[in-house]
Amino acid sequence: MICADIDEEKVDRLCRGEVPIVEHGLERLVVEGLASGKLRFVLGAATASKDSEFHYLCVPTPQGQDGSADLSYLQAAASEIAPVLPTRSVVVNKSTVPVGSTEVVGRVLGRSDVSVVSNPEFLREGTAVADFLTPDRVVIGSSDQEAAIRVAGLYTKVRAPIMVTDPISAETIKYAANAFLASKLSFINAVANLCEAVGADINDVVLGMGYDHRIGKEFLHPGPCWGGSCFPKDTLALARIAEDAGYDFSFLREVLRVNDEQFDRTAQKVIDALGDDVKGKRVGVWGLTFKAGIDDLRQSPSLEVISRLIAAGIEVHGYDPAVKGPISEVPALNVCSDPYAAVKEAEVLVVLTEWDEFRWLDLDQVSTQMAGRAVVDARNILDGHALRRRGFSYRGAGR
Ligand code: UGA
């Protein structure tokens, strides 16, 4: 396998077996692949493609100005490889692209002797290796059955259903899956808000709902709501795709609105815990990444909440096991090197990302460091009883 990138430094590091992102199990695979000679990293897509049978396009499709996906990286990669593609080779698109993009790639390539197949990815950051090796399904979309079957042949060792469909359906599956998961999270966060209003416990509600196998227990943890490099842009992009096709998918706008409102609600809980006149008061935050187990801050719910606190005049100190400061999106945030330093002199401790290590920290030390006695646990991971025994007020999410 030959992997190409346009970033020379990244390619050099990968050639030395250094993985530039936090991704469980990836470094071992890269080191083993390099040692066996089965894996190589090169600069430039054309170098990788010139003698290959399959060409996977895995470039970013960031959010464009109007909410639709920006296809410029995809088009650039396709134009670069077009002249060097061997006859009968297959270009496989893994990037998340608007409906109709398989055809766009085909047009950019301008090669009638080369096929284009859509093969969307369903990998989560942090667990991408495991997700790839044991997927729930493999989706392949092409109008060329023979090319689709050849791509399906690459997955024969993977134990999962492989479905072959047309390219437009494959592209829709990717967006609909992400938007559905985002909707599930907006829904459960709204239920958590309801639990707070009526005095129910969201943990029990989720358990009781989740025993119904049609609902399932997964992806129902309430929090400061959802973020990351995929859900926000893909949900917006799907709404945009629908609008362009003449369908008003207003449901998705509501899903996005609930998410934004949840950031406000979480910030408001902190403001309420600080009492009157919050200006200049200090808050300690645990967790900055958009979820645990990664070092990615893109569209992080934590940063959304922190920005709102800073805008209210609050001094925020934060800690995250995977982040060293400063952070350009929130320059006023003081990034600390350990969790106890982050809560020093703080009036309120706020948990915004569900890193496991936060469960096991020394609450007595936290208590000694802090000036105030309030905890807002937006991920429901701390022991509320243990905190109350130490004189803290404790507010979770939905209980
Ligand atoms: C998401 C999808 O889960 C993948 O299937 C998809 O392939 C990927 O996007 C993509 O399109 O590339 P990812 O962005 O890595 O994966 O993150 P998730 O694990 O889905 O989490 C997204 C957000 O939802 C995070 O902010 C997380 O904290 C939040 N979340 C997730 C909750 O608040 N509660 C949950 O129960 C689960």
Side-chain angles (χ1 to χ4, degrees):
M1 178 181 287
I2 311 170
C3 301
D5 201 282
I6 52 169
D7 181 335
E8 194 169 355
E9 196 204 325
K10 206 181 269 178
V11 171
D12 286 346
R13 288 186 65 188
L14 285 161
C15 288
R16 294 196 296 272
E18 293 169 23
V19 174
I21 50 166
V22 174
E23 193 57 68
H24 186 68
L26 188 58
E27 190 148 307
R28 189 177 58 83
L29 281 184
V30 168
V31 169
E32 281 175 11
L34 288 170
S36 68
K38 287 185 183 158
L39 180 65
R40 279 198 290 135
F41 295 96
V42 297
L43 193 62
T47 318
S49 279
K50 64 180 185 330
D51 297 315
S52 300
E53 184 181 354
F54 298 96
H55 316 270
Y56 275 77
L57 300 178
C58 314
V59 295
T61 49
Q63 192 172 302
Q65 301 243 310
D66 60 354
S68 61
D70 172 358
L71 293 185
S72 54
Y73 295 103
L74 189 75
Q75 285 168 334
S79 318
E80 188 185 334
I81 61 174
V84 302
L85 294 174
T87 297
R88 286 202 71 246
S89 64
V90 184
V91 173
V92 186
N93 183 39
K94 272 252 167 241
S95 301
T96 301
V97 288
V99 173
S101 299
T102 306
E103 217 184 292
V104 172
V105 170
R107 272 204 304 274
V108 173
L109 291 174
R111 292 275 306 262
S112 55
D113 58 333
V114 168
S115 307
V116 186
V117 169
S118 164
N119 177 206
E121 58 89 9
F122 303 101
L123 312 178
R124 291 162 298 171
E125 271 189 61
T127 54
V129 172
D131 289 346
F132 182 81
L133 295 173
T134 53
D136 289 333
R137 77 308 207 179
V138 175
V139 173
I140 295 166
S142 182
S143 39
D144 176 343
Q145 283 291 305
E146 196 243 333
I149 287 162
R150 278 165 66 203
V151 173
L154 299 173
Y155 294 95
T156 44
K157 287 201 177 142
V158 168
R159 284 166 161 263
I162 298 179
M163 72 169 278
V164 175
T165 179
D166 62 87
I168 289 184
S169 301
E171 290 158 347
T172 305
I173 288 168
K174 168 67 192 184
Y175 276 108
N178 270 6
F180 180 81
L181 291 168
S183 309
K184 200 172 176 186
L185 292 176
S186 280
F187 178 82
I188 208 60
N189 279 294
V191 174
N193 298 339
L194 173 72
C195 287
E196 288 176 11
V198 299
D201 183 328
I202 187 71
N203 286 353
D204 288 349
V205 172
V206 165
L207 197 64
M209 287 167 61
Y211 278 124
D212 185 330
H213 68 270
R214 292 169 304 173
I215 297 172
K217 295 187 194 71
E218 281 192 57
F219 242 72
L220 286 176
H221 296 290
C225 230
W226 42 273
S229 57
C230 303
F231 284 176
K233 86 171 166 62
D234 293 350
T235 309
L236 201 63
L238 185 58
R240 190 58 216 245
I241 289 166
E243 198 181 310
D244 289 348
Y247 173 61
D248 178 15
F249 208 151
S250 57
F251 174 86
L252 287 182
R253 279 201 300 278
E254 190 56 16
V255 166
L256 287 156
R257 194 194 62 74
V258 169
N259 200 34
D260 255 3
E261 190 187 87
Q262 196 67 11
F263 301 145
D264 294 339
R265 284 181 71 98
T266 308
Q268 192 56 48
K269 281 184 185 171
V270 182
I271 289 168
D272 292 346
L274 284 170
D276 301 332
D277 195 14
V278 298
K279 278 208 169 46
K281 287 193 176 165
R282 189 183 284 203
V283 160
V285 168
W286 287 351
L288 303 172
T289 49
F290 79 79
K291 64 176 172 178
I294 56 166
D295 60 350
D296 197 340
L297 293 165
R298 283 176 294 174
Q299 305 267 304
S300 169
S302 179
L303 300 190
E304 289 283 350
V305 174
I306 290 170
S307 305
R308 284 158 172 78
L309 298 179
I310 289 171
I314 297 165
E315 187 182 320
V316 186
H317 294 248
Y319 165 75
D320 189 288
V323 179
K324 306 273 168 283
I327 297 171
S328 55
E329 294 91 327
V330 273
L333 167 71
N334 300 287
V335 181
C336 304
S337 53
D338 85 82
Y340 301 109
V343 295
K344 197 169 177 346
E345 304 297 329
E347 302 281 336
V348 181
L349 158 62
V350 194
V351 181
L352 292 174
T353 313
E354 73 287 15
W355 286 93
D356 221 24
E357 70 167 72
F358 298 155
R359 296 173 201 269
W360 321 114
L361 292 175
D362 181 349
L363 295 181
D364 291 321
Q365 199 176 334
V366 170
S367 177
T368 317
Q369 293 287 323
M370 283 179 67
R373 286 285 169 278
V375 173
V376 173
D377 178 7
R379 296 281 187 171
N380 286 347
I381 61 166
L382 298 187
D383 181 342
H385 297 296
L387 281 160
R388 287 193 186 106
R389 275 202 304 277
R390 286 167 176 80
F392 281 92
S393 71
Y394 172 83
R395 273 191 87 179
R399 54 190 186 138

